[in-house]
Amino acid sequence: MTNLLHSEAEMPVALNQPLSVLTRRPPRSEAYTNGSSSSNGVGDYRSNGHSRILENRESPSRNPWQPFLIGVAGGTASGKTSVCHKIMCKLGQDCLPHPERRVVTISSDSFYRVLTEDERQRARLGEFNFDHPDALDFQLILDTMNALLDSQVARIPVYDFVTHTRLPNEYIHVYPADVILFEGILVFYFPELRNLFKLKLFVDMDADTRLARRVIRDLKERGRELNSTIHQYTLFVKPAFEEFCQPTKKYADVIIPRGAENDVAINLIVQHIKEHLLPMASENGSPRRSMQDDSNQPLTNGVHKMGENGLNGHDEAERLTNGLARAERSTNGRYA
Ligand SMILES: Nc1ncnc2c1ncn2[C@@H]1O[C@H](COP(=O)(O)OP(=O)(O)O)[C@@H](O)[C@H]1O
Ligand SMILES: O=c1ccn([C@@H]2O[C@H](COP(=O)(O)O)[C@@H](O)[C@H]2O)c(=O)[nH]1
């Protein structure tokens, strides 16, 4: 994930499943998840942050309105960040102030756990396994996702790839939104997290291209040396991809070959998101619902045309699935 994505992570997300449950968004709570207030940033989050969320719930049961949570998995440098960014741009969300965004992107990169001094030293030499599920603060991920699903404002740490640490006292505030894209190499690995996703995307890119892009990115953006990058890749990244990430491809509803270059797949996903957002916008009538498409046409225009075709939510879901299956078949043998 790039720093750019980190800033995108501030956007809120959410679009949920059956259109029939997409009623009115509840009032936004001012509660926060507490990304970190202790020295290791984990224990306090779990105890204080989570209990604050519970205290601020308006009722013991989950809101009938929920964000639509989309998981975006794929190997390192496969283009997960770029795909999410493209979706945001096509929905006209990237240029909106964060609190007004209806679609947000969050990366699991924000949730690497706090390392011990010994682990940090190994990380500097490319000898710490960041691709193993244990490298992530899974409880923090789960608490954050649950907070967002409950329409809470979530506060998540900012991770620094150069020092392998969370930046002290820096957080990203993620506001409740209608659609949340959560991207990361292992987001389909944990069943408890995987089961929260209403749509699962897997960004597929051949290993050579990923390695080449990763080397360039790590040297340019993550303060790495060539030797340690290759060393880390050979020792951990590649084997962990084969053991923990690649096998989760089977959970995907949609596989996106060629990553962000695949405009056909991305356009279909964007269209699907728009279909979910429109009913909410018309029910809310809220001024913050200002989604626009690429051509700066109000979102409502495009969706209205689709409504005129007499398609319902189920038809749309089928059309999306069929369309994406076609998109993938057309590239079979090259990347899939
Ligand atoms: N289609 C592309 N062509 C060239 N470079 C790309 C393309 N897609 C992504 N990249 C570059 O590859 C690197 C990894 O992409 P990114 O979207 O951050 O992947 P991920 O989030 O899966 O790690 C970034 O430096 C990005 O700029
Ligand atoms: O301190 C760190 C933390 C993570 N990594 C590597 O990052 C990638 C995951 O990020 P992508 O944006 O999906 O590539 C993972 O493969 C880790 O090895 C790191 O090098 N250092």
Side-chain angles (χ1 to χ4, degrees):
M1 207 200 66
T2 62
N3 287 336
L4 171 67
L5 229 217
H6 273 302
S7 65
E8 282 181 355
E10 291 182 27
M11 332 179 227
V13 160
L15 238 181
N16 243 2
Q17 31 178 192
L19 287 177
S20 55
V21 298
L22 295 178
T23 55
R24 193 166 297 123
R25 171 200 285 285
R28 175 176 288 174
S29 162
E30 291 305 320
Y32 287 91
T33 60
N34 184 359
S36 159
S37 59
S38 66
S39 55
N40 69 8
V42 177
D44 284 357
Y45 174 84
R46 291 175 184 169
S47 54
N48 300 338
H50 191 60
S51 63
R52 278 188 74 189
I53 294 167
L54 294 174
E55 283 161 15
N56 280 280
R57 279 188 184 150
E58 284 156 28
S59 79
S61 61
R62 182 155 272 171
N63 291 317
W65 175 92
Q66 278 191 344
F68 189 66
L69 196 52
I70 301 177
V72 184
T76 181
S78 57
K80 302 179 295 297
T81 306
S82 306
V83 165
C84 293
H85 183 62
K86 224 164 178 177
I87 291 172
M88 295 294 298
C89 291
K90 283 174 184 278
L91 290 168
Q93 296 289 290
D94 57 319
C95 49
L96 292 176
H98 290 291
E100 292 190 17
R101 292 177 182 181
R102 296 183 64 192
V103 184
V104 296
T105 303
I106 303 173
S107 171
S108 65
D109 292 348
S110 301
F111 298 94
Y112 281 109
R113 70 173 170 81
V114 176
L115 302 184
T116 63
E117 185 48 44
D118 174 60
E119 287 171 329
R120 254 203 312 279
Q121 278 187 15
R122 284 196 278 131
R124 277 184 220 116
L125 303 169
E127 292 190 352
F128 182 82
N129 191 350
F130 286 104
D131 295 73
H132 191 283
D134 287 349
L136 290 165
D137 185 345
F138 176 63
Q139 191 58 50
L140 182 54
I141 293 179
L142 214 53
D143 289 349
T144 302
M145 289 302 130
N146 280 318
L148 289 169
L149 287 171
D150 278 348
S151 299
Q152 311 283 333
V153 180
R155 191 171 84 158
I156 61 177
V158 177
Y159 189 75
D160 179 10
F161 282 95
V162 178
T163 57
H164 315 282
T165 57
R166 294 177 183 173
L167 294 179
N169 303 319
E170 282 197 37
Y171 301 95
I172 293 165
H173 290 92
V174 183
Y175 296 87
D178 300 316
V179 179
I180 301 170
L181 295 153
F182 187 48
E183 66 90 5
I185 53 176
L186 296 173
V187 297
F188 298 163
Y189 177 79
F190 308 95
E192 217 175 336
L193 175 63
R194 187 171 70 233
N195 292 335
L196 295 177
F197 297 127
K198 304 305 176 197
L199 178 63
K200 295 190 272 302
L201 313 176
F202 192 95
V203 181
D204 213 11
M205 179 59 73
D206 65 89
D208 294 348
T209 306
R210 290 194 294 103
L211 173 58
R213 287 180 183 167
R214 170 147 175 158
V215 168
I216 293 168
R217 180 193 64 190
D218 282 9
L219 268 57
K220 225 165 44 181
E221 297 172 21
R222 295 187 177 179
R224 307 294 163 84
E225 302 285 336
L226 181 60
N227 281 351
S228 72
T229 303
I230 301 289
H231 181 64
Q232 181 189 353
Y233 188 88
T234 315
L235 197 60
F236 298 122
V237 181
K238 184 177 156 64
F241 171 76
E242 284 160 8
E243 185 174 355
F244 304 115
C245 177
Q246 172 97 320
T248 67
K249 187 172 161 183
K250 63 174 175 284
Y251 299 116
D253 302 305
V254 176
I255 294 166
I256 308 175
R258 305 186 311 287
E261 289 162 30
N262 194 334
D263 276 318
V264 173
I266 291 171
N267 286 338
L268 285 163
I269 292 159
V270 164
Q271 194 56 45
H272 190 57
I273 293 173
K274 285 180 180 176
E275 291 296 322
H276 279 81
L277 288 169
L278 181 69
M280 303 178 74
S282 57
E283 287 210 22
N284 280 347
S286 157
R288 73 183 278 270
R289 303 301 187 205
S290 55
M291 184 175 302
Q292 298 191 335
D293 66 15
D294 265 341
S295 56
N296 273 352
Q297 292 302 307
L299 170 71
T300 46
N301 287 349
V303 178
H304 179 62
K305 274 186 202 134
M306 300 201 70
E308 285 172 350
N309 292 336
L311 296 172
N312 61 28
H314 177 73
D315 294 333
E316 282 306 308
E318 273 207 342
R319 208 178 56 152
L320 174 82
T321 311
N322 294 339
L324 288 172
R326 271 199 303 279
E328 205 192 341
R329 269 200 304 277
S330 71
T331 59
N332 256 352
R334 277 195 289 159
Y335 297 96

